[in-house]
Amino acid sequence: MSSENVTREESLDPEDWQLMRALGQRMVDDMLTYLQTVRDRHVWQPLPTEVKAYFNQPLPIESQGPEKTYQDFLEYVLPHPMGNIHPRFWGWVIGTGTPLGMLADMLAAGMNPNVGGADHVANYVESQVLDWCKEMLAYPTEASGLLVSGGSMANLVGLTVARNNKADFDLRQQGIYASPRRMTLYGSNETHSSVQKAVELLGLGSDSFRQIPVNKDFQIDLSELEIAIARDREAGCQPFCIVGNAGTVNTGAIDDLDTLASICCREKLWFHVDGAFGALANLSPELRPLVAGMEKADSLAFDLHKWMYIPYEVGCALVRQEEAHRKAFALTPDYLTHSDRGLAGGKIWFSDYGVQLSRGFRALKVWMSLKEHGVQKYGRLIQQNVDQANYLAKLVENSADLQLLAPVPLNIVCFRFTSDQLNDESLNELNKELLIQLHESGVAAPSYTLINGRYALRVAITNHRSRRQDFETLVGEVVRLGNKLLQ
Ligand SMILES: *Cc1c(COP(=O)(O)O)cnc(C)c1O
C-alpha cells in the first residue's frame, strides 16, 4: 500500500508544541498574578446574565484551537469565582488553596497516572502521604487508609467498614436483608448531613441513625446517648456504631471523644470520628487536648481541602484494622489480578480500600504542600485561624449592635445583628437580608445557620489569607448594613 492511501492518523497533542509551550507559560503567569492580587478584588459578585447565557452554547463540533479556548476561559470563567480563595471568604467550611497546590495539580494531571493500583510511583507517594497523615493525627501507624474526594466520601468509607464488620453475617453477599435486627448507630443532632447520607446509601435507613440531643456547648449529651443505646438493645435492635464529631459544622463543637471511645469499648461498638476540619486541630499544641481520644477511633474521616488549605478535592479515610478495611472493599476479578512482578505487581492497590477503581493523583499536591511548608507551619496557621475566631468573638461582644449566638470552641463564630426594637422573627428576616447584601457588596462572605431557631451569620475560618483587619472590616460592614436596614 502506498503511503498516500493510508488514512491520516490523529492525536490530541498540539500541532505546534512551541505555541502550546508559550500558552502554558502564559497560563501559569496569569494564574500566579490572579492569586497574588486576589485581595484587590471583590470576594464574590453575582454572575451577569450574559455570562449565564454564555453557558447555553451548542456542543462544539469543529476545533477552535487552544488559544481561543483559553481566551474564552479568561473572558467567561476566571472573572466569576466562588470567592473562597479571597482573604474575606468564611462561608460553610471551605478551603483556600495555595499556589504550589495549584501547580502540583498541573504536574499530577501531566503525569496522569491511575492510582487504583499497579506498580508505579504515585502509589508510593499516596502511601507516604497516608503515613504522614497518621503521624499528624497521632493515629496508629499500622492503620490503613486512602485519599478520597472529601469528608463525605471518607465518612462513607468508614461507615461501610463499620457496618460490614459489625454485621454478624456476610453483609457483602447477603445484603442488609439478612440482618435479623435493625442495625442502629448514634451521633449528636449536630452531626454533618454527609453521615446521614452515608447511612442512607448503606441501606440502613436514616431512622437507624439515632440523633442524640446536645448540651449547651453543642456536644453530644452522653447520658442521653447511653439511654438511647440501652433502649435500642431492649427493643431488639443491634447498636453497632457511634459517630463522634471533631468539629461540628454549625459551631465547631468537639464531642467528648475520650468518653465516646470508652462507651464504644464497653458496648462493643465501632467508633467512627468525623473530623472533617476539626481533626487538624491536633497540629497545634494548644488545641491538641480538644481532640484527645480521636486516636482511639476505629475509623477517622477528615479533609485536606479544608483546614490544610490544599486545593479541591482531597479528603482522607483512615481505618485502624487494615483487614476489616480490605474486607469491606477488595474485589479482584481476573482482569485486576495483582501479580508478583511487572507493572501489575506492587503491594499497594488503593482500589481494594474504597469505592473508586480509577483514581487520580490527588496525593501529589498533599505531598508537595507538606514538603513546601512543613507540618509546623500548618499548626501555626490553624492556631492563627482559631485566634482570629476569638478575636472576632471579642469584637462581636464589644459591639452593642451585635450578639454572639454560640460558644467559640474552635474556628467558627455564629453571631447576628441585633436591636431592642425587634423580636426574634424580625431579627431573622433582617439578618437574612443583611447577609445577602453583604455578599452582594463583595466585601465579605460568611454563610448562615440557625442556632436554636435564630438566624446566624456564620464565619468559619479555614483561610490562610485572612488578617485581623479583615474581621474588623466585616464587623464594620455588618453594623453599617444592619443599621441601614433598621431605618
Ligand atoms: C465539610 C464537612 C463534611 C463533608 O466533607 P466534604 O469534603 O465536603 O465532602 C463532613 N463533616 C463535616 C463536619 C464537615 O465540615
Side-chain angles (χ1 to χ4, degrees):
M1 220 191 322
S2 76
S3 61
E4 295 99 275
N5 290 338
V6 176
T7 354
R8 201 172 76 86
E9 292 176 308
E10 297 188 293
S11 92
L12 297 173
D13 281 332
E15 272 160 32
D16 184 338
W17 280 93
Q18 207 46 49
L19 269 179
M20 184 59 87
R21 187 180 304 272
L23 182 63
Q25 283 162 354
R26 225 181 96 208
M27 286 178 179
V28 169
D29 242 10
D30 289 350
M31 285 313 291
L32 287 172
T33 305
Y34 182 76
L35 292 179
Q36 194 179 0
T37 56
V38 61
R39 182 177 276 284
D40 307 337
R41 295 188 293 272
H42 287 115
V43 178
W44 175 85
Q45 287 287 270
L47 263 73
T49 321
E50 63 275 18
V51 170
K52 289 183 181 170
Y54 179 78
F55 293 97
N56 287 320
Q57 296 201 329
L59 173 70
I61 306 294
E62 299 293 336
S63 156
Q64 65 167 29
E67 269 125 346
K68 167 80 171 73
T69 301
Y70 180 54
Q71 208 49 49
D72 290 346
F73 166 80
L74 287 181
E75 201 166 331
Y76 293 102
V77 181
L78 190 62
H80 311 289
M82 183 183 201
N84 54 302
I85 67 171
H86 194 282
R88 284 190 300 278
F89 185 98
W90 307 298
W92 302 280
V93 186
I94 300 201
T96 330
T98 65
L100 192 78
M102 169 188 87
L103 296 169
D105 253 353
M106 184 187 76
L107 305 182
M111 284 183 79
N112 193 32
N114 183 333
V115 198
D119 200 19
H120 55 99
V121 74
N123 294 294
Y124 296 84
V125 175
E126 182 158 339
S127 289
Q128 170 79 95
V129 164
L130 291 168
D131 283 342
W132 287 345
C133 285
K134 291 180 233 169
E135 193 174 336
M136 280 163 23
L137 302 183
Y139 203 67
T141 49
E142 66 279 7
S144 59
L146 84 168
L147 297 181
V148 290
S149 55
S152 302
M153 188 57 102
N155 281 327
L156 179 64
V157 167
L159 293 174
T160 304
V161 185
R163 180 197 62 169
N164 292 16
N165 184 260
K166 291 296 182 183
D168 36 26
F169 54 95
D170 184 344
L171 202 145
R172 284 187 66 174
Q173 198 198 341
Q174 299 175 269
I176 200 75
Y177 306 107
S179 181
R181 295 168 292 161
R182 178 185 277 274
M183 295 179 73
T184 52
L185 68 165
Y186 307 80
S188 87
N189 55 19
E190 291 286 303
T191 305
H192 192 266
S193 59
S194 61
V195 168
Q196 180 179 330
K197 208 183 257 192
V199 168
E200 291 170 3
L201 286 169
L202 290 170
L204 297 164
S206 54
D207 282 351
S208 302
F209 179 46
R210 313 297 203 199
Q211 301 204 21
I212 309 297
V214 290
N215 63 22
K216 67 172 189 356
D217 291 323
F218 298 92
Q219 300 166 302
I220 190 166
D221 183 319
L222 296 165
S223 53
E224 291 282 348
L225 169 66
E226 303 222 48
I227 290 167
I229 295 171
R231 197 194 298 127
D232 279 338
R233 283 204 199 282
E234 217 156 283
C237 298
Q238 185 198 348
F240 78 97
C241 174
I242 294 176
V243 178
N245 285 301
T248 60
V249 65
N250 273 337
T251 69
I254 299 167
D255 290 334
D256 178 349
L257 301 174
D258 239 339
T259 304
L260 290 182
S262 330
I263 296 174
C264 284
C265 190
R266 193 189 70 215
E267 299 278 338
K268 307 225 168 356
L269 306 178
W270 187 275
F271 184 30
H272 175 77
V273 170
D274 177 3
F277 59 98
L280 278 310
N282 204 59
L283 296 186
S284 156
E286 216 174 296
L287 302 170
R288 195 166 296 148
L290 294 174
V291 292
M294 177 174 75
E295 73 288 351
K296 295 178 186 161
D298 293 299
S299 51
L300 174 56
F302 60 99
D303 269 316
L304 294 149
H305 56 213
K306 287 178 176 172
W307 226 356
M308 286 289 287
Y309 320 100
I310 289 171
Y312 285 95
E313 302 165 345
V314 60
C316 181
L318 296 175
V319 178
R320 177 178 295 268
Q321 301 172 45
E322 194 266 349
E323 191 47 35
H325 190 179
R326 223 189 119 70
K327 258 187 156 163
F329 289 104
L331 188 62
T332 313
D334 292 342
Y335 49 83
L336 292 175
T337 313
H338 314 172
S339 79
D340 295 332
R341 293 169 38 232
L343 175 58
K347 283 214 167 56
I348 320 161
W349 289 64
F350 286 107
S351 51
D352 287 341
Y353 296 89
V355 179
Q356 286 181 279
L357 174 59
S358 296
R359 303 173 70 251
F361 196 8
R362 48 169 64 98
L364 187 66
K365 58 193 166 190
V366 187
W367 186 77
M368 290 184 69
S369 298
L370 277 164
K371 278 174 169 283
E372 180 192 15
H373 299 295
V375 73
Q376 273 188 346
K377 179 144 190 190
Y378 287 100
R380 291 199 301 274
L381 285 166
I382 284 162
Q383 183 66 53
Q384 176 172 298
N385 285 162
V386 171
D387 292 344
Q388 288 165 341
N390 288 316
Y391 180 66
L392 172 59
K394 210 164 278 145
L395 293 177
V396 168
E397 284 177 326
N398 290 342
S399 164
D401 291 325
L402 303 177
Q403 181 188 14
L404 202 60
L405 292 178
V408 181
L410 215 54
N411 57 334
I412 298 178
V413 184
C414 292
F415 70 103
R416 66 175 176 179
F417 180 84
T418 191
S419 158
D420 298 340
Q421 304 161 37
L422 300 178
N423 61 16
D424 266 351
E425 204 178 317
S426 313
L427 283 175
N428 284 359
E429 287 310 307
L430 182 145
N431 279 280
K432 207 180 274 183
E433 177 60 27
L434 191 161
L435 182 67
I436 291 171
Q437 292 194 10
L438 182 62
H439 286 169
E440 286 172 348
S441 75
V443 171
S447 60
Y448 47 84
T449 193
L450 284 179
I451 302 286
N452 300 323
R454 293 162 165 181
Y455 188 92
L457 310 177
R458 177 179 159 288
V459 172
I461 315 168
T462 46
N463 191 325
H464 62 87
R465 300 197 170 106
S466 301
R467 296 289 171 262
R468 283 191 173 217
Q469 209 185 318
D470 292 315
F471 300 96
E472 294 161 10
T473 303
L474 168 72
V475 163
E477 196 61 10
V478 169
V479 168
R480 190 184 70 79
L481 288 170
N483 280 307
K484 199 187 84 190
L485 285 167
L486 265 188
Q487 284 160 14

